[in-house]
Amino acid sequence: MDPKDLVRAFYERVVSENRLDEISAYVSPFCRLVNGADSRPLGAEGMAEHIRATKGTYPDYTIRILRQFRDGEYVISEFQMEDTHAGTWLGIPPTGRRLSFTGVNIDRVSGGKIVGHGGAVNTFETLLAEQLIEPAFP
């Protein structure tokens, strides 16, 4: 499977449809979580635990890939995440509101599986627009 298709299927099928039983088909047991120059072991089980934790706050969250770019082993995905805020997150109690976030993930694919994962979600704009946080300087 083409690396871009593999990454898209992982987010839109495994994550969005909550098919965690299929995670090992997409994520290597040696996958690393990458944050800048730092990385730590994540593996398929760590990825599944991250998804389960996120679904604790946003039980119905889905990810839709908007655009993808590939550079060698790296797949860059711009995405939109939609969800219902049903659990406490960053000290914000559940609101029951439907929220939409954008973000970018960078996944490294080797041997037909995701071996590196990192990214960022733009939470600030959505939380500010929904008045779940206040500006520091009004």
Side-chain angles (χ1 to χ4, degrees):
M1 182 182 300
D2 176 86
K4 286 179 13 181
D5 294 335
L6 179 123
V7 169
R8 178 182 297 275
F10 171 70
Y11 290 115
E12 293 185 349
R13 178 178 170 84
V14 175
V15 175
S16 295
E17 297 176 13
N18 205 29
R19 295 179 181 224
L20 298 185
D21 58 315
E22 297 178 17
I23 203 163
S24 62
Y26 297 88
V27 179
S28 166
F30 306 106
C31 181
R32 298 190 64 83
L33 179 63
V34 179
N35 185 9
D38 297 326
S39 76
R40 64 177 178 86
L42 180 65
E45 192 51 45
M47 184 76 82
E49 181 54 36
H50 170 70
I51 294 166
R52 281 192 287 275
T54 303
K55 294 227 181 224
T57 300
Y58 303 106
D60 60 351
Y61 91 91
T62 59
I63 293 179
R64 183 171 51 94
I65 302 297
L66 303 174
R67 288 186 284 184
Q68 285 184 306
F69 305 93
R70 180 176 169 204
D71 184 11
E73 292 184 327
Y74 293 90
V75 177
I76 299 105
S77 303
E78 178 186 10
F79 64 87
Q80 181 172 23
M81 177 179 149
E82 295 183 359
D83 48 57
T84 303
H85 181 211
T88 300
W89 183 65
L90 297 176
I92 302 168
T95 63
R97 292 185 197 165
R98 189 89 180 136
L99 302 176
S100 179
F101 300 96
T102 58
V104 174
N105 281 339
I106 301 172
D107 294 287
R108 187 166 71 88
V109 177
S110 180
K113 294 197 179 184
I114 297 170
V115 297
H117 168 76
V121 178
N122 183 2
T123 56
F124 178 77
E125 288 179 2
T126 298
L127 296 178
L128 187 62
E130 292 290 327
Q131 299 178 337
L132 297 174
I133 59 172
E134 296 180 14
F137 303 101

